[in-house]
Amino acid sequence: MKYWIIPFAMLAAGSVFANNTVRKQVEVIAHIPAAAFYVVAENGWDTRVQELSYNVVTETLRPVVQRLIAKSTTGAIEARLEGPAQMNSGADAINLNVSINGVDLDNTAKIVVPESQRGNQVFIPIEISAQAGPYAPGSYSGMVNMTFETPLVSR
């Protein structure tokens, strides 16, 4: 019987000295734009949720105003919306206006950086604003999907 006590005591003592282990996994990414053409959000604002905050006094939504950094070595840069720009809360929707460099976007491509800026890095304003209310109470969210294009080859 005493022979069973010694291995059990060693097993119990060994577990006291065992290491605790914690493993972590971190996803990392990087996006490196091509030198010939890019449109990126200044300071990465497009990776964070942008809030159109509600003013209870004026019953309006404050627009999101940010900047994009763009460059094309092959010509003008065009932009268009990929679908309706809106926020939804259940069955209720708030339509949004999207303006880049003073150009109101819809689903038709429009020049937002002119040919005359070819080869230059430019900072262009983007504004996302709500169309006039009244707005139904709720928690609204949505995505604004845009496409930017420039010619493939230099002229």
Side-chain angles (χ1 to χ4, degrees):
M1 188 70 152
K2 67 180 177 178
Y3 297 107
W4 285 95
I5 294 175
I6 293 174
F8 179 72
M10 290 177 64
L11 179 64
S15 66
V16 171
F17 297 108
N19 290 331
N20 288 325
T21 303
V22 175
R23 290 190 168 83
K24 297 284 184 192
Q25 183 178 28
V26 178
E27 179 180 7
V28 293
I29 62 170
H31 297 285
I32 313 230
F37 172 60
Y38 56 83
V39 178
V40 296
E42 183 178 39
N43 299 318
W45 62 264
D46 62 339
T47 61
R48 298 181 299 275
V49 174
Q50 301 296 302
E51 181 177 1
L52 283 78
S53 57
Y54 186 71
N55 183 320
V56 295
V57 175
T58 62
E59 297 181 339
T60 59
L61 289 163
R62 182 175 302 130
V64 169
V65 179
Q66 295 287 357
R67 287 198 319 177
L68 298 168
I69 305 169
K71 179 181 176 182
S72 171
T73 60
T74 61
I77 299 175
E78 297 180 339
R80 63 184 160 85
L81 294 176
E82 284 295 317
Q86 64 180 204
M87 299 184 298
N88 299 290
S89 176
D92 297 314
I94 298 173
N95 291 319
L96 303 173
N97 297 316
V98 180
S99 172
I100 297 180
N101 210 15
V103 177
D104 294 329
L105 296 188
D106 55 28
N107 62 352
T108 304
K110 297 180 181 174
I111 294 174
V112 294
V113 177
E115 168 84 25
S116 63
Q117 292 295 318
R118 179 171 47 159
N120 297 324
Q121 177 175 281
V122 294
F123 292 82
I124 54 176
I126 178 171
E127 181 174 305
I128 302 170
S129 59
Q131 292 182 5
Y135 311 115
S139 293
Y140 290 81
S141 65
M143 298 292 285
V144 175
N145 295 305
M146 299 168 282
T147 295
F148 295 87
E149 295 177 314
T150 196
L152 287 175
V153 293
S154 183
R155 294 180 204 165

